[in-house]
Amino acid sequence: MEATLNARSAPLAGRQWLILITAGIGFAFDMYEVVVQAILVRPMLMEMGPYQPGTPQFNHWTGLFLCVPSMLGGLTALAGGYLADRIGRQRVLVWSIVLYGIAAFMSGFSSSLYELMFWRCITVAGACVEFVAAIAWLTELYPDTKRREAVLGYAQACATAGNFMIAGIWYAVVTWGHLLPAVHGANSAWRYALIFGALPAIPLIIIRPFLPESPAWSARKAAGTLRRPRFRELFEPRLRRVTLLTTLLVGCCYALAFGMLQHIPRLVPGLPQVAVLPRVQQEQWVTWVHVHVDTGALIGRFILAGLVVWFVARRPMLRWLLVIGLGVYPLVFLGPALQDVEYFKYAVLAVTMVVAVQYSFWGNYLPRVFPLHLRATGESFAMSIGARTFGPLMALLTANLATVMPGANPTLKLAHSMALVAVVATAIALFASRWLPEPAAELLEE
């Protein structure tokens, strides 16, 4: 296996394909679990509250559901990264998927908003831990730089499959959910969409014995030379700058996801051509717009996967993406796209594409700036504090700003709030990126 891993031109072995498929499934359902609540939150609150869209109570609970599970998940992922460095990448990855599969199933049977919040927190926590462990695992399986960067890029592109699953499952349960058994006396589409998230736990239990541990981590562990990870090392002089900057910049990137992208499904039912349609047709339009969002994410992931093979992950690439975003975000959410749903679906495709390239940028960049014994710990710190703690706060901010923003109706108020949060986060990132260090050509050993 080692010879295969070190061969630059050798095709991937069967076990390596199994590893990639496992990581790809994990990434897909990670994305599914984090993004699905953006589509479900509107019908869920209208049924369980019951709250009406645009009211302060509705906006407040929307912000909580888009914020709290991700924040708690991020803090859990911080511990998960530490465990991945201590007890192994494969073990943490597999059991985190099993954990969020069980919690996803239970969330579909919740009888109150507080119970649902509990299960959603556990679900998203498992998804966040899985992402950190999987990135460290894949990074160490491929010593050759170009192959490693390509594998990381294309494996992360599998996350977009989770977005397409959301669109497909939501359309199916909205259209044919009435044929399924009732849960708590109703055929609620959002409950079936949550239960679907339990599926990845089943194949993982079966294939777990065939998944190897990271060879680099295992070799150090067996030789007794694996240093114990310590969080304080992240703030020692050699790593302090990269730790603080990556945490801030990752936070700004994910502020776009939580403060802007996750609110797009809430805009669709209020668009002029959609607002006059029956409820089922409104939700079908939500699905159709979400497909365009997913397409933009997929294109963005593959753009990055192709670029890093030749250019690796460099600071100028990030800065150009931020400049493009400063022009695109206000143009879409403050412009005429909100008056025509056909135009809107293509506009949000472009927005998502710009943001998705940034997601994959960080997935490739972070493993290359921390040494082996701190790789998962450092990566989890940036993702947990930046992406999963600061980022979700922007969901809460956007939802509550929508109550006081100018606009003729709740849809326009929300769109203006989204544009404001996105522009401010991008401007901060563009300024701070001036000091982002270039990553080393090879992985850092110690």
Side-chain angles (χ1 to χ4, degrees):
M1 180 177 177
E2 183 177 351
T4 303
L5 290 173
N6 288 322
R8 287 176 176 266
S9 58
L12 296 180
R15 184 171 287 188
Q16 290 176 286
W17 277 113
L18 183 61
I19 292 168
L20 284 175
I21 291 170
T22 301
I25 292 173
F27 285 141
F29 276 89
D30 288 354
M31 184 62 70
Y32 182 93
E33 295 298 354
V34 173
V35 175
V36 72
Q37 56 199 20
I39 287 185
L40 306 186
V41 68
R42 184 176 185 272
M44 180 189 74
L45 290 178
M46 291 176 69
E47 177 182 327
M48 294 190 73
Y51 302 122
Q52 290 303 308
T55 62
Q57 297 93 334
F58 182 92
N59 287 339
H60 178 68
W61 273 102
T62 296
L64 289 179
F65 268 99
L66 296 182
C67 173
V68 174
S70 294
M71 287 186 65
L72 293 182
L75 296 175
T76 305
L78 192 59
Y82 177 83
L83 287 175
D85 282 332
R86 285 283 288 157
I87 67 175
R89 284 75 160 107
Q90 181 255 31
R91 186 180 303 174
V92 171
L93 179 143
V94 171
W95 286 110
S96 64
I97 294 178
V98 173
L99 173 67
Y100 78 63
I102 294 172
F105 181 82
M106 295 302 298
S107 64
F109 293 89
S110 301
S111 58
S112 70
L113 289 177
Y114 293 101
E115 182 183 353
L116 181 57
M117 179 70 78
F118 172 78
W119 288 118
R120 287 300 300 161
C121 287
I122 295 178
T123 302
V124 177
C128 293
V129 171
E130 190 278 336
F131 178 85
V132 170
I135 288 292
W137 193 35
L138 289 174
T139 298
E140 294 164 2
L141 284 170
Y142 303 95
D144 175 63
T145 300
K146 285 191 175 182
R147 169 164 285 184
R148 179 178 63 248
E149 298 297 334
V151 164
L152 282 171
Y154 288 115
Q156 290 180 86
C158 291
T160 309
N163 286 335
F164 283 103
M165 284 192 297
I166 294 170
I169 292 299
W170 187 241
Y171 185 90
V173 295
V174 165
T175 307
W176 300 293
H178 63 280
L179 302 176
L180 298 172
V183 178
H184 290 301
N187 301 87
S188 302
W190 62 268
R191 291 188 184 274
Y192 298 119
L194 290 175
I195 293 171
F196 178 79
L199 286 183
I202 299 172
L204 260 293
I205 293 172
I206 298 172
I207 67 176
R208 181 182 181 274
F210 305 100
L211 297 174
E213 183 53 83
S214 159
W217 185 90
S218 297
R220 290 292 182 89
K221 182 75 172 178
T225 58
L226 184 67
R227 293 173 57 189
R228 184 173 182 174
R230 300 181 187 278
F231 282 108
R232 68 169 180 265
E233 290 185 68
L234 298 175
F235 299 96
E236 292 178 353
R238 67 172 182 144
L239 292 176
R240 183 187 303 130
R241 175 185 169 192
V242 73
T243 298
L244 295 177
L245 275 174
T246 54
T247 300
L248 172 62
L249 289 169
V250 168
C252 289
C253 174
Y254 277 77
L256 302 177
F258 289 98
M260 179 176 62
L261 297 187
Q262 286 210 17
H263 295 277
I264 289 175
R266 297 177 55 209
L267 292 177
V268 178
L271 299 179
Q273 299 97 322
V274 181
V276 297
L277 299 175
R279 174 77 177 275
V280 171
Q281 290 181 295
Q282 287 182 3
E283 297 301 337
Q284 289 172 340
W285 262 108
V286 170
T287 300
W288 186 230
V289 171
H290 194 74
V291 167
H292 286 76
V293 171
D294 302 340
T295 303
L298 182 63
I299 294 171
R301 297 278 191 177
F302 276 104
I303 287 174
L304 192 284
L307 287 176
V308 296
V309 172
W310 302 104
F311 302 108
V312 192
R314 299 186 182 277
R315 181 176 59 193
M317 184 192 306
L318 176 64
R319 290 180 61 80
W320 274 111
L321 290 169
L322 295 171
V323 170
I324 293 170
L326 278 178
V328 169
Y329 308 146
L331 181 64
V332 171
F333 296 108
L334 298 178
L338 293 172
Q339 303 304 317
D340 187 331
V341 69
E342 293 289 342
Y343 182 28
F344 182 75
K345 66 187 182 184
Y346 293 110
V348 296
L349 184 153
V351 166
T352 312
M353 183 173 64
V354 175
V355 178
V357 180
Q358 297 178 54
Y359 293 162
S360 287
F361 175 93
W362 291 113
N364 285 67
Y365 180 93
L366 290 173
R368 298 175 58 216
V369 292
F370 294 104
L372 186 145
H373 76 289
L374 282 173
R375 185 159 294 136
T377 304
E379 179 192 339
S380 70
F381 187 89
M383 294 302 295
S384 299
I385 303 302
R388 307 297 186 186
T389 303
F390 173 76
L393 284 174
M394 298 303 102
L396 190 62
L397 178 62
T398 297
N400 284 283
L401 274 177
T403 304
V404 298
M405 289 293 287
N409 54 58
T411 298
L412 291 177
K413 289 183 177 182
L414 176 59
H416 296 166
S417 178
M418 293 161 62
L420 177 62
V421 170
V423 167
V424 171
T426 303
I428 293 173
L430 183 60
F431 177 76
S433 64
R434 299 170 57 191
W435 294 278
L436 185 70
E438 290 286 347
E442 301 295 334
L443 294 179
L444 302 177
E445 291 299 317
E446 291 297 346

